[in-house]
Amino acid sequence: MYEIRRQHPFIIVHAFSSYILLLLLPLLRSLTLLQDGVWGWAAGVWQDVLVLFAILLFGWLRWRRETYQLLDKGMACQLGLIFQQERYLPYQTLTSVTVEHPWYLRVLRIVRVRLETDAGSRREPDLTLLLRLRDADRLTDVACRHLQPNRTTRSYRPNPLSVAFLSLVTSDSLTGVLFAATLISQTGKLLGKEIEDRVLTSLTRLMELLAFGLPPLAAVIALTILGGWLLDFLSNLVRHLGFQAVRDGERLTVRNGIFTLREYQLSVNKINFLQLRQSLLTLMLGYCAVMINCTGYGKEKNEMAVLLPAANKAELDHSLRLILPEIRPGYGRGWHSAKDVLSRYLIPPLSLLGAMLAVLGLCWWKLPGLHRLLFFLGLMAILPAVWWLFVKIGAFLYNGIEMRGRTCTFRTVWGYAFYTTVTSCDKIVRVELRWSLFQRMRKCCDVVIHLRCEKGRKITVKDIPRADAEDFLESFSRFGAG
Amino acid sequence: MTKKGLSRSALGVWEGIAGLVAALLAGGVLWLLQPRTWLWYGSLWLIGLVFVLTAFLYLPLLYISCCYVLTEEYVEFQCGVIFFHRRRMLRSSVMYVTVMKDPVSVLTRTRTVVLHAMGGRLVIPFLPVREVSALLRAVSPRKPREERHV
């Protein structure tokens, strides 16, 4: 008989932790108001206690029912209590195995293990288990045994400044603001409306203190953007400190985090593509952050699929030769945007700038009492538009395609970010050429590349001369077939 | 090549669901509408007519049209009366398999098999329990019954 294993019993509480907290906190709070004695308290809360007991009973039944078995070539598991599932995951199809050590479970030596294949849900892992550390180690060993090891392992560990650089480049205000909003609303849910109001009042006071004589609306906008960005920067920094990548044969191990430790075991053959990300500033400085796409890595909320947090060209070459020599970006000329399509890049930002200046001028003339606010808002609106103009000029020089053997390099710009995507011919699902009426007149077209990826990613290289695009298509067909 | 239909209990479950939906709709009409008006009679007749057509014509035809085909290369599920579907998945592209069981399928002794592949999945519902293990062995040959535990 196969050995049947179970998750850690902590799953009984962990799976319903939010519901249990919602019930437990009011119960504990009501204990502080013991005026009618223990029996009086019990008479008031017996329904809550009963619900809590039912949840725990359900959790226990589910824990008893959910099992897994490690077989020779795959893993069989039973999931669910009322709607039961029996799943068989062959080890060969696994793209990544993630072992997560959340800070609140480290004392109990419990870890969360996520198994991923290229199939299944795009948002959820194919299997998530809460295991004892030694069980997780065993599972990882067995699941990754088919990946041929090497005699020598090669390791890459960036300095903390590189990680800070990555956080600097990838942080944005919106994520931080959303994080703060969720935090405040959850605090309200768990600790009551009174605490939520107190937090909001404190934040308002802080904003008043930091306003520096700005108009109140402008101060709120500026501080929300700045505060959100700072929060996101800090959370990114904490998540990626301690980053390390180790290459051992067909296995690539990535570790990161200081509070919540995460260890990803990736199958190198299952890496779909590599992507260099830059902003206009880092492009000029010659630095980039390198990401990889491998199903399961960077899939969770707020996670990023980082391979090299920050590297210049020399470091990039050296580090990639060390840990991922299979996928190397090309630096040759390749196929680029034609010179006569520069206007296609400049018209959108120049039009936006013109429209903004016209609206601002109109408001300045019609609303003489709001000059200070208009000056601030105008500055906030025009600066990104001017920056976009520079990005577009950069995009004109940057966009292009290159093929070296079976490796393709695509340089694209999306929004303010510059991407260099490197992949093998066999990871490209489809290539599409498309052109508008204006592009037809300029004899150029967009090359749309559909990549093999769980989320069905596509990248668009804009305004490549038609003859060059056909040339690329020919080369792709030749190498792809070969 | 193996071509097999669904379990007979599938038809029973579908008929049951159709009956339940019709009863709920009729109950809603009886509760909400003014009795013995043209709207009341019309709604009840319409619900009855749709139920009779569904239960005695559409669902039996649907049941007859549903089958799965298993060859050396692919698994195919065919189904449909008005709009006929044939969904085919290469056996080589199957990444993993899930067998689903719920309280109804326990009573009917059937299971739903889901074949997962990159970019999609193939659902084969209401398979008799005795056929499930054979299908599993065929589509995931890396899981023989005799597989040793580690």
Side-chain angles (χ1 to χ4, degrees):
Chain A
M1 284 294 287
Y2 310 134
E3 191 181 345
I4 294 174
R5 295 158 195 268
R6 285 198 174 79
Q7 298 187 65
H8 193 282
F10 189 72
I11 190 77
I12 299 169
V13 184
H14 191 261
F16 305 101
S17 50
S18 50
Y19 300 106
I20 290 173
L21 266 179
L22 277 176
L23 277 168
L24 211 59
L25 283 174
L27 275 179
L28 291 176
R29 214 161 41 167
S30 66
L31 264 177
T32 58
L33 308 166
L34 271 178
Q35 287 168 349
D36 305 330
V38 178
W39 288 111
W41 172 79
V45 298
W46 69 271
Q47 285 162 322
D48 292 344
V49 173
L50 210 63
V51 172
L52 195 64
F53 178 73
I55 289 175
L56 290 176
L57 182 71
F58 185 76
W60 182 79
L61 288 172
R62 216 177 85 163
W63 171 73
R64 287 289 304 166
R65 156 79 196 156
E66 292 193 335
T67 58
Y68 69 94
Q69 292 166 283
L70 297 176
L71 308 173
D72 252 356
K73 291 181 179 173
M75 183 177 165
C77 46
Q78 311 258 349
L79 303 165
L81 182 64
I82 297 166
F83 296 93
Q84 298 174 359
Q85 292 185 20
E86 201 178 302
R87 190 168 289 176
Y88 178 69
L89 287 164
Y91 302 135
Q92 287 282 350
T93 61
L94 290 177
T95 52
S96 68
V97 179
T98 308
V99 180
E100 195 178 273
H101 305 249
W103 57 269
Y104 54 92
L105 295 178
R106 271 158 81 177
V107 186
L108 302 167
R109 296 181 68 76
I110 302 173
V111 292
R112 193 184 292 127
V113 179
R114 297 198 302 261
L115 301 174
E116 273 285 0
T117 68
D118 275 328
S121 165
R122 290 175 182 190
R123 291 183 185 167
E124 301 286 316
D126 296 317
L127 186 65
T128 309
L129 299 167
L130 203 69
L131 300 177
R132 289 176 187 85
L133 190 56
R134 62 170 188 277
D135 287 345
D137 286 343
R138 187 175 178 77
L139 191 152
T140 312
D141 284 347
V142 174
C144 298
R145 205 168 43 189
H146 69 282
L147 301 174
Q148 294 293 322
N150 211 336
R151 282 187 181 174
T152 52
T153 56
R154 288 158 292 173
S155 168
Y156 164 78
R157 190 192 283 270
N159 62 33
L161 272 179
S162 300
V163 180
F165 176 81
L166 173 80
S167 308
L168 200 77
V169 173
T170 54
S171 302
D172 64 74
S173 305
L174 186 67
T175 318
V177 170
L178 285 177
F179 173 76
T182 316
L183 189 76
I184 292 166
S185 70
Q186 288 298 319
T187 310
K189 258 189 202 169
L190 292 175
L191 302 176
K193 185 86 179 97
E194 193 188 328
I195 302 289
E196 187 184 345
D197 288 345
R198 214 177 285 173
V199 171
L200 285 174
T201 315
S202 309
L203 279 175
T204 315
R205 265 192 213 144
L206 186 74
M207 282 202 173
E208 280 167 6
L209 271 175
L210 298 173
F212 298 124
L214 284 172
L217 179 66
V220 167
I221 294 171
L223 288 172
T224 307
I225 291 171
L226 199 69
W229 182 86
L230 198 66
L231 262 178
D232 196 36
F233 169 75
L234 287 175
S235 75
N236 277 337
L237 190 68
V238 165
R239 201 172 293 121
H240 292 102
L241 273 176
F243 183 91
Q244 189 190 12
V246 180
R247 176 68 187 268
D248 180 12
E250 287 178 17
R251 189 198 299 200
L252 179 67
T253 308
V254 178
R255 297 186 188 97
N256 61 27
I258 46 171
F259 296 119
T260 296
L261 302 177
R262 293 182 186 87
E263 186 178 289
Y264 305 87
Q265 307 284 346
L266 312 175
S267 169
V268 170
N269 300 329
K270 303 273 169 57
I271 293 176
N272 298 318
F273 58 87
L274 178 136
Q275 199 165 55
L276 276 58
R277 292 186 193 175
Q278 292 166 294
S279 63
L280 185 62
L281 202 67
T282 57
L283 183 74
M284 288 190 290
L285 293 171
Y287 272 87
C288 65
V290 183
M291 310 284 174
I292 48 172
N293 180 284
C294 180
T295 308
Y297 182 39
K299 191 175 182 177
E300 289 292 297
K301 197 180 161 195
N302 297 332
E303 274 184 17
M304 281 188 287
V306 187
L307 183 70
L308 309 175
N312 57 26
K313 191 176 174 298
E315 286 166 352
L316 177 73
D317 278 343
H318 175 257
S319 306
L320 280 183
R321 200 177 301 125
L322 201 68
I323 53 173
L324 199 63
E326 292 85 354
I327 313 174
R328 305 274 299 280
Y331 296 108
R333 290 294 302 158
W335 298 283
H336 284 266
S337 299
K339 285 192 177 70
D340 55 346
V341 295
L342 177 64
S343 58
R344 287 186 55 78
Y345 286 86
L346 296 184
I347 288 170
L350 287 176
S351 312
L352 181 73
L353 262 173
M356 273 181 177
L357 286 172
V359 170
L360 199 66
L362 194 70
C363 292
W364 195 271
W365 178 47
K366 288 280 179 193
L367 307 164
L370 294 173
H371 278 184
R372 262 179 72 195
L373 181 65
L374 282 175
F375 175 75
F376 177 79
L377 290 179
L379 202 67
M380 296 279 277
I382 283 172
L383 272 180
V386 172
W387 194 247
W388 191 37
L389 176 68
F390 289 131
V391 167
K392 281 286 184 184
I393 295 168
F396 170 69
L397 301 168
Y398 185 82
N399 272 351
I401 303 172
E402 194 192 328
M403 269 193 89
R404 198 173 55 179
R406 292 174 61 78
T407 307
C408 302
T409 306
F410 305 101
R411 293 175 206 286
T412 52
V413 178
W414 176 252
Y416 290 90
F418 293 73
Y419 297 100
T420 301
T421 310
V422 191
T423 187
S424 171
C425 272
D426 53 339
K427 303 281 186 191
I428 295 174
V429 177
R430 201 171 85 207
V431 178
E432 190 183 318
L433 304 187
R434 67 175 189 205
W435 53 86
S436 65
L437 202 64
F438 299 110
Q439 283 176 311
R440 197 189 181 112
M441 290 191 294
R442 300 277 176 135
K443 289 183 181 155
C444 66
C445 63
D446 293 345
V447 181
V448 186
I449 316 290
H450 294 258
L451 293 162
R452 184 190 153 92
C453 168
E454 195 186 32
K455 289 183 180 169
R457 186 84 66 88
K458 68 172 184 181
I459 48 175
T460 308
V461 191
K462 288 194 177 286
D463 299 314
I464 298 292
R466 280 272 292 285
D468 288 357
E470 297 284 353
D471 199 15
F472 160 70
L473 208 58
E474 193 62 36
S475 309
F476 167 70
S477 312
R478 201 168 55 243
F479 282 107
Chain B
M1 188 176 87
T2 319
K3 186 172 180 176
K4 285 184 176 171
L6 305 186
S7 165
R8 274 183 200 164
S9 50
L11 185 59
V13 172
W14 293 342
E15 298 277 11
I17 292 170
L20 199 68
V21 171
L24 279 173
L25 286 174
V29 168
L30 290 173
W31 185 47
L32 290 172
L33 297 184
Q34 183 78 28
R36 296 179 203 292
T37 56
W38 66 270
L39 190 64
W40 187 78
Y41 279 116
S43 306
L44 285 179
W45 271 105
L46 188 69
I47 290 166
L49 185 72
V50 171
F51 172 68
V52 168
L53 282 176
T54 308
F56 296 102
L57 188 70
Y58 179 74
L59 290 179
L61 286 176
L62 185 70
Y63 173 73
I64 292 165
S65 72
C66 287
C67 68
Y68 76 93
V69 180
L70 181 70
T71 71
E72 285 293 315
E73 291 82 32
Y74 61 84
V75 187
E76 188 176 272
F77 181 66
Q78 310 174 353
C79 199
V81 179
I82 300 162
F83 301 102
F84 189 76
H85 297 277
R86 284 174 70 175
R87 297 184 184 93
R88 185 178 290 190
M89 184 178 276
L90 288 179
R91 279 169 62 168
S92 58
S93 63
V94 175
M95 297 252 173
Y96 68 92
V97 189
T98 308
V99 180
M100 296 169 90
K101 186 168 89 172
D102 54 59
V104 175
S105 66
V106 174
L107 290 174
T108 56
R109 295 189 55 74
T110 58
R111 299 287 182 269
T112 298
V113 175
V114 187
L115 309 177
H116 298 265
M118 191 171 182
R121 61 188 193 157
L122 182 71
V123 183
I124 309 176
F126 294 109
L127 279 181
V129 173
R130 61 181 181 281
E131 282 175 27
V132 169
S133 51
L135 179 69
L136 276 186
R137 261 200 302 279
V139 292
S140 54
R142 285 164 286 207
K143 192 202 176 188
R145 266 263 171 255
E146 300 74 31
E147 200 170 30
R148 203 161 45 80
H149 82 267
V150 187

